[in-house]
Amino acid sequence: MISIVGSGRVGTSIGFLCVSNGLDDVLLVNRDKRKAIGEALDVASAIPENSKFTIRGTDDYSQISGSDIVVITASVGVYMKDRTENIVLQVRMIKEIAQKIKQYCPSAVVLIVSNPLDVLTYFFQKESTIPRFKVIGIASSLDTSRFRYLISETLSVPQSSISNAIVLGEHGDSMVPVFSRVTVGGNPLFSMIDNRDTITDGVRNYWKKLRNFKSRSQFGIAKNTFDVIDSIVHKKEIIIPASVVLQGEYGESDVAMGVPVKINQNGISEIQKIKLDDTESSSLKKSSVKIRNDIQSIHT
């Protein structure tokens, strides 16, 4: 069973993708029981006729017992200027959810989607004591999708011609698009652009531009999260950037941030080490400092 905590647009979209693709039974958990039930009733109409799975809604955490995967999309409110706006309330929320998951399904693989992503991934893992490789923050893969899209738009080339685009670090203003590895049609990206600043700013502020036209992002993060769920359910490996609590990798410890990982049915099987240029290494260090400062602001 796949349990999704939070029945807003993102949580419901993830549930829709799981159900319409016949992955597994889905449980929507929401503090507003009527909201969870209503969304489940709506998504249920997308169940394929040959599927043996269903979807339900509840406000009762005990029903997540036995879940193989738990996705957390819950939020205490909408942020407008920065993903850390509601950090204190969000950390309090994630700790409460962590206790529920520790109680009812401590062996589940947990996917964190709520913001501030890296801070919440860190506090969930510490509060739940679930092994760090089974607590995965899903966001850097979304930033990577946006990075690839902006390269495509800048150069007027199809995304299929772009290889090795990746974004590391914070899911926030200090995220680090890695230009040095990108090729377009087999040629280095650096041979096609004057500098990296415009695209970097575009990736970091993508959500702000999107919000000029709609209330918040929905489908991109839902698809990126679904891809991870699909890899776990079908026991196939996927390599993406994702946030995980680090213990020495990339020279960082006691912080969670986006790094390249290999995921299989058990969660993260490997943190991959990739070569960065000096600018990217320096930016990644600054990003880790930003996340650590946000984490420490909760301790004081």
Side-chain angles (χ1 to χ4, degrees), residues 72 103 137 162 179 208 229 241 261:
I72 302 174
Q103 178 180 358
I162 302 168
F179 288 79
K208 295 178 182 178
I229 298 171
V261 299

Side-chain angles (χ1 to χ4, degrees), residues 40-213:
L41 287 172
D42 191 5
V43 173
S45 302
I47 298 174
E49 63 178 312
N50 62 347
S51 176
K52 62 182 179 180
F53 301 119
T54 190
I55 183 170
R56 297 180 294 112
T58 186
D59 62 351
D60 180 4
Y61 273 92
S62 69
Q63 293 190 34
I64 71 175
S65 179
S67 297
D68 301 297
I69 301 168
V70 179
V71 184
I72 302 174
T73 69
S75 176
V76 298
V78 179
Y79 58 88
M80 299 303 296
K81 297 180 180 179
D82 185 272
R83 293 181 177 94
T84 62
E85 278 178 29
N86 301 315
I87 187 170
V88 174
L89 294 177
Q90 287 288 92
V91 168
R92 185 180 304 163
M93 176 199 73
I94 208 72
K95 287 184 175 183
E96 293 173 356
I97 295 173
Q99 288 297 327
K100 298 290 187 183
I101 294 174
K102 182 179 180 179
Q103 178 180 358
Y104 293 114
C105 52
S107 62
V109 176
V110 181
L111 308 182
I112 311 288
V113 178
S114 305
N115 282 307
L117 187 281
D118 306 283
V119 174
L120 297 191
T121 299
Y122 174 87
F123 277 106
F124 179 93
Q125 195 276 323
K126 297 301 181 182
E127 184 74 16
S128 68
T129 66
I130 292 173
R132 67 184 179 119
F133 279 5
K134 300 189 78 171
V135 179
I136 308 170
I138 309 297
S140 294
S141 58
L142 170 65
D143 299 325
T144 296
S145 296
R146 293 171 173 177
F147 183 32
R148 190 169 54 246
Y149 170 75
L150 290 174
I151 294 170
S152 170
E153 291 294 294
T154 299
L155 299 178
S156 298
V157 298
Q159 291 195 44
S160 58
S161 68
I162 302 168
S163 300
N164 299 320
I166 190 171
V167 177
L168 306 180
E170 180 196 22
H171 180 54
D173 292 343
S174 69
M175 68 179 67
V176 184
V178 176
F179 288 79
S180 61
R181 295 167 44 89
V182 181
T183 60
V184 181
N187 299 308
L189 175 61
F190 274 144
S191 67
M192 304 178 189
I193 60 173
D194 295 328
N195 63 69
R196 58 183 101 188
D197 293 345
T198 300
I199 294 177
T200 296
D201 290 343
V203 178
R204 290 175 174 174
N205 294 303
Y206 194 102
W207 70 275
K208 295 178 182 178
K209 180 178 180 180
L210 186 151
R211 287 217 179 165
N212 288 330
F213 298 94

Side-chain angles (χ1 to χ4, degrees), residues 8-29:
R9 294 182 182 184
V10 173
T12 302
S13 295
I14 295 168
F16 166 78
L17 289 172
C18 292
V19 165
S20 61
N21 285 279
L23 282 195
D24 203 343
D25 290 314
V26 173
L27 179 69
L28 298 180
V29 183

